[in-house]
């Protein structure tokens, strides 16, 4: 028998259950498919500062938007922070947001002015997504290596070949907005605090093997992507580099001679194709520490060429002793470049970036920022069954 | 005359044995090749193929078929392991980069017919 007192209890329980359902469903609604997107078109023109006295690299906390007193050298609109090396030539700013970097007929984009130095050069633009993060996340952006200034090169002695960290996809483990004692821009070793783990670095890299060219020779490419994975909490204890013969868009003109006086003629140069190409990456955290069911995936130009898509399963991003929460919540794009080019020091090479999108599902090269296609596509026609 | 009956009997027994051993319980499946017009919308990321043994109940996904497969970006797909003498119904949808899916295309059907020759082939040329 259900008396009136029990009925009230049931009503209260039902209401509470309904309230919880509402909260959870509401939380899912707030997690829209697109997490972040920036075409840069609506942003004010911006350029990085490389003038902090006493620092050869300008970074946290001068550009950090959570700096309690306000960042003296703020990042571009919508972004979290940046770091940049002081240029050798000091004739250009490392990162510039203006019309020069646009993809398409109008708008704006980012120009990354890389200097040839024969060693590491650069910085990075940071985006932090909060201290909850996402267990699975996709990021897509467009890059264009300027054919008038950019060359990829390799020499067989002295340097390891040119490479660029296209992006670092990582998890900042600790709440950064209130602290002042550590630097969230350090992709840290344990000695540095280990706050940024795990990390996936997709690197655009030249092939160190002799005689490779693009398109493939013996399944190898002159320009390709390689991957570095850093795990949590055992930073660097596993082999960090994973070489994948994953061809980069390029003309692959081996022995191309750059139009720069003082060029080292003993070096093999590869020329870029000068087109915009879409780069998309996916990372999925493992389900529990020590369980090897995490993943990462990459597409160039949507994987239209099957060779430009790769998937790795069975990744234990977080090992025993770590935690799979928070999820992925940090990107550093247009990161360091090892400019082992043999071009005269200070030679500027430009790469442009535009249309940066973060999502909980596959984005693809055709997704257009600001144009949400809310209509269902047309019904396919002409179906034939044989 | 006796010899003829003997040969006929042996051949008959051989045929029956062959039938019994190889063909009686042989389950051979067929396939259906589907093709359709490619979409002219620039943000189509894939097509889905729906099929089943009964006609669909609704014109849009959610009311329809027993099976659904991701057919990828190309406007053609082959479905295998379809049962002999069974009629199947097929439709296609398109999906755009926003995750929106179209309603079903026209519904087409095919009755799978596997010939004796196909059965023989399947014995000797197993896939």
């Amino acid at each position: 028998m259900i008396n009136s007192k029990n009925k009230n209890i049931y009503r209260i329980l039902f209401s509470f259950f309904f309230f919880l359902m509402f909260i959870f469903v509401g939380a899912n609604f707030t997690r829209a498919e697109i997490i972040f997107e920036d075409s840069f078109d609506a942003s004010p023109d911006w350029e990085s500062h490389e003038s902090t006295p006493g620092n050869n690299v300008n970074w946290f906390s001068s550009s950090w938007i959570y700096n309690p007193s306000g960042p003296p050298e703020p990042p571009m609109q919508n972004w979290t922070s940046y770091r940049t090396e002081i240029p050798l030539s000091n004739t250009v700013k490392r990162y510039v947001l203006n019309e020069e970097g646009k993809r398409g007929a109008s708008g704006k984009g980012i120009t990354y002015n890389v200097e040839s130095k024969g060693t590491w050069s650069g910085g990075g633009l940071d985006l932090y997504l909060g201290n909850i993060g996402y267990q699975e996340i996709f990021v897509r952006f467009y890059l264009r290596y300027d054919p008038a200034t950019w060359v990829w090169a390799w020499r067989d002695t002295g340097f390891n070949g040119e490479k660029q960290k296209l992006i670092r996809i990582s998890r900042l483990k600790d709440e950064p907005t209130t602290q002042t004692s550590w630097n969230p821009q350090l992709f840290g070793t344990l000695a540095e605090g280990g706050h940024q783990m795990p990390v996936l670095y997709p690197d655009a890299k030249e092939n160190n093997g002799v005689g490779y060219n693009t398109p493939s020779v013996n399944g190898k490419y002159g320009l390709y992507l390689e991957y570095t994975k850093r795990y949590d909490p055992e930073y660097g204890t596993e082999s960090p580099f994973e070489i994948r013969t994953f061809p980069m868009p390029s003309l692959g003109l081996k022995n191309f001679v750059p139009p720069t006086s003082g060029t080292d003629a003993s070096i093999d140069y590869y020329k870029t194709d000068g087109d915009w190409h879409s780069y998309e990456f996916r990372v999925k955290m493992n389900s529990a520490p020590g369980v090897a069911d995490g993943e990462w995936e990459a597409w160039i130009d949507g994987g239209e060429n099957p060779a430009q898509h790769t998937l790795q399963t069975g990744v234990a991003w977080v090992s025993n002793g770590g935690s799979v929460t928070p999820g992925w919540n940090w990107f550093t794009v247009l990161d360091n470049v090892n400019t082992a080019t043999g071009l005269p020091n200070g030679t500027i090479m430009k790469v442009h970036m535009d249309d940066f999108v973060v999502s909980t599902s596959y984005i693809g090269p055709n997704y257009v920022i600001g144009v949400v296609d809310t209509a269902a596509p047309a019904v396919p026609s002409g179906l034939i069954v044989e | 005359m006796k010899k003829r009956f003997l040969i006929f009997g042996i051949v008959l027994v051989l045929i029956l044995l062959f039938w019994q051993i190889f063909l009686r319980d042989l389950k051979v499946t067929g396939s259906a090749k589907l093709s359709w017009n490619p979409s002219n919308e620039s943000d189509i990321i894939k097509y889905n193929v729906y099929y089943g043994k009964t006609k669909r109940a609704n014109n849009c996904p959610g009311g329809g078929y027993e099976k659904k497969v991701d057919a990828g970006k190309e406007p053609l797909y082959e479905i295998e392991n379809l049962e002999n003498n069974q009629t199947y119904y097929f439709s296609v949808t398109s999906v755009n980069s926003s995750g929106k899916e179209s309603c079903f295309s026209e519904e087409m059907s095919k009755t799978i017919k596997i010939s004796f020759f196909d059965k023989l082939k399947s014995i000797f040329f197993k896939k």
Side-chain angles (χ1 to χ4, degrees), chain A residues 78-240:
Chain A
N78 303 328
W79 291 65
T80 305
S81 56
Y82 68 93
R83 56 187 171 76
T84 173
E85 186 182 35
I86 297 173
L88 289 173
S89 63
N90 218 16
T91 56
V92 293
K93 295 296 184 183
R94 183 72 67 206
Y95 297 101
V96 180
L97 188 165
N98 63 13
E99 191 183 358
E100 181 186 5
K102 70 178 184 295
R103 185 173 79 94
S106 61
K108 297 179 184 179
I110 303 293
T111 298
Y112 182 17
N113 292 302
V114 177
E115 283 181 303
S116 177
K117 288 178 65 177
T119 183
W120 287 103
S121 173
L125 304 171
D126 303 323
L127 178 66
Y128 175 58
L129 298 175
N131 64 355
I132 296 176
Y134 297 82
Q135 293 301 299
E136 183 175 19
I137 203 164
F138 294 70
V139 58
R140 184 217 75 180
F141 48 94
Y142 273 85
L143 295 180
R144 174 182 178 269
Y145 292 89
D146 173 28
T149 58
W150 191 283
V151 289
W152 296 93
W154 173 80
R155 67 174 120 192
D156 57 3
T157 57
F159 296 98
N160 243 349
E162 186 171 310
K163 69 156 75 172
Q164 181 193 0
K165 291 180 171 63
L166 295 177
I167 192 169
R168 302 193 202 210
I169 305 168
S170 68
R171 183 269 295 268
L172 184 60
K173 291 193 287 186
D174 303 301
E175 172 59 64
T177 55
T178 56
Q179 66 78 36
T180 55
S181 60
W182 51 269
N183 182 348
Q185 288 176 312
L186 282 175
F187 286 82
T189 62
L190 288 174
E192 291 169 336
H195 300 282
Q196 286 273 16
M197 294 182 198
V199 189
L200 174 70
Y201 306 2
D203 294 335
K205 195 176 188 302
E206 298 176 81
N207 200 323
N208 286 352
V210 176
Y212 293 128
N213 207 332
T214 50
S216 68
V217 174
N218 300 324
K220 303 287 186 181
Y221 298 87
L223 295 174
Y224 63 103
L225 290 187
E226 71 170 16
Y227 296 85
T228 305
K229 295 193 295 286
R230 286 180 180 166
Y231 302 100
D232 181 40
E234 303 94 347
Y235 173 100
T237 56
E238 295 190 45
S239 177

Side-chain angles (χ1 to χ4, degrees), chain A residues 229-350:
Chain A
K229 295 193 295 286
R230 286 180 180 166
Y231 302 100
D232 181 40
E234 303 94 347
Y235 173 100
T237 56
E238 295 190 45
S239 177
F241 296 105
E242 180 171 355
I243 307 299
R244 295 213 163 204
T245 52
F246 194 110
M248 285 277 291
S250 167
L251 289 183
L253 297 178
K254 193 177 179 186
N255 300 321
F256 165 76
V257 178
T260 304
S261 61
T263 299
D264 186 336
S266 68
I267 293 176
D268 288 338
Y269 293 94
Y270 295 93
K271 189 181 180 184
T272 68
D273 65 3
D275 294 331
W276 285 97
H277 295 280
S278 161
Y279 296 81
E280 182 159 351
F281 301 98
R282 176 180 75 95
V283 284
K284 182 183 177 187
M285 198 72 83
N286 42 321
S287 58
V291 178
D293 61 358
E295 297 179 0
W296 64 262
E297 192 166 9
W299 299 260
I300 292 179
D301 295 331
E304 195 167 312
N305 171 1
Q308 292 183 315
H309 168 243
T310 192
L311 165 68
Q312 186 183 4
T313 58
V315 181
W317 292 108
V318 177
S319 309
N320 292 326
S323 171
V324 295
T325 57
W328 304 97
N329 61 4
W330 185 283
F331 300 100
T332 294
V333 69
L334 292 178
D335 207 289
N336 290 331
V337 184
N338 187 354
T339 56
T341 63
L343 300 180
N345 278 358
T347 303
I348 299 295
M349 304 193 300
K350 293 174 182 290

Side-chain angles (χ1 to χ4, degrees), chain A residues 366 373 377-379 381 384 386, chain B residues 33 35 37 41 43 94 110:
Chain A
N366 294 328
D373 191 350
V379 169
S381 63
I384 296 170
E386 297 174 296
Chain B
K33 290 180 181 174
S35 61
N37 296 328
E41 295 178 52
D43 62 346
S94 52
K110 179 181 180 181

Side-chain angles (χ1 to χ4, degrees), chain A residues 33 301-304 362-368 371-386, chain B residues 32-37 41-44 73 90-94 96-98 100-106 108 110:
Chain A
E33 184 172 283
D301 295 331
E304 195 167 312
Y362 178 72
I363 303 157
N366 294 328
Y367 176 78
V368 179
V371 181
V372 178
D373 191 350
T374 56
V379 169
S381 63
L383 177 62
I384 296 170
V385 180
E386 297 174 296
Chain B
K33 290 180 181 174
L34 281 69
S35 61
W36 56 93
N37 296 328
E41 295 178 52
S42 62
D43 62 346
I44 297 299
K73 293 178 181 175
F90 304 89
S91 288
V92 183
T93 65
S94 52
N96 68 19
S97 57
S98 300
K100 300 287 183 186
E101 184 173 13
S102 73
C103 286
F104 292 126
S105 67
E106 64 267 56
M108 302 299 285
K110 179 181 180 181

Side-chain angles (χ1 to χ4, degrees), chain B residues 72-111:
Chain B
K73 293 178 181 175
E74 299 302 319
L76 63 150
Y77 194 78
E78 182 170 4
I79 300 171
E80 296 181 328
N81 298 318
L82 300 178
E83 293 175 24
N84 191 20
N85 292 319
Q86 178 67 54
T87 300
Y88 286 88
Y89 300 89
F90 304 89
S91 288
V92 183
T93 65
S94 52
V95 180
N96 68 19
S97 57
S98 300
K100 300 287 183 186
E101 184 173 13
S102 73
C103 286
F104 292 126
S105 67
E106 64 267 56
E107 186 176 65
M108 302 299 285
S109 66
K110 179 181 180 181
T111 300

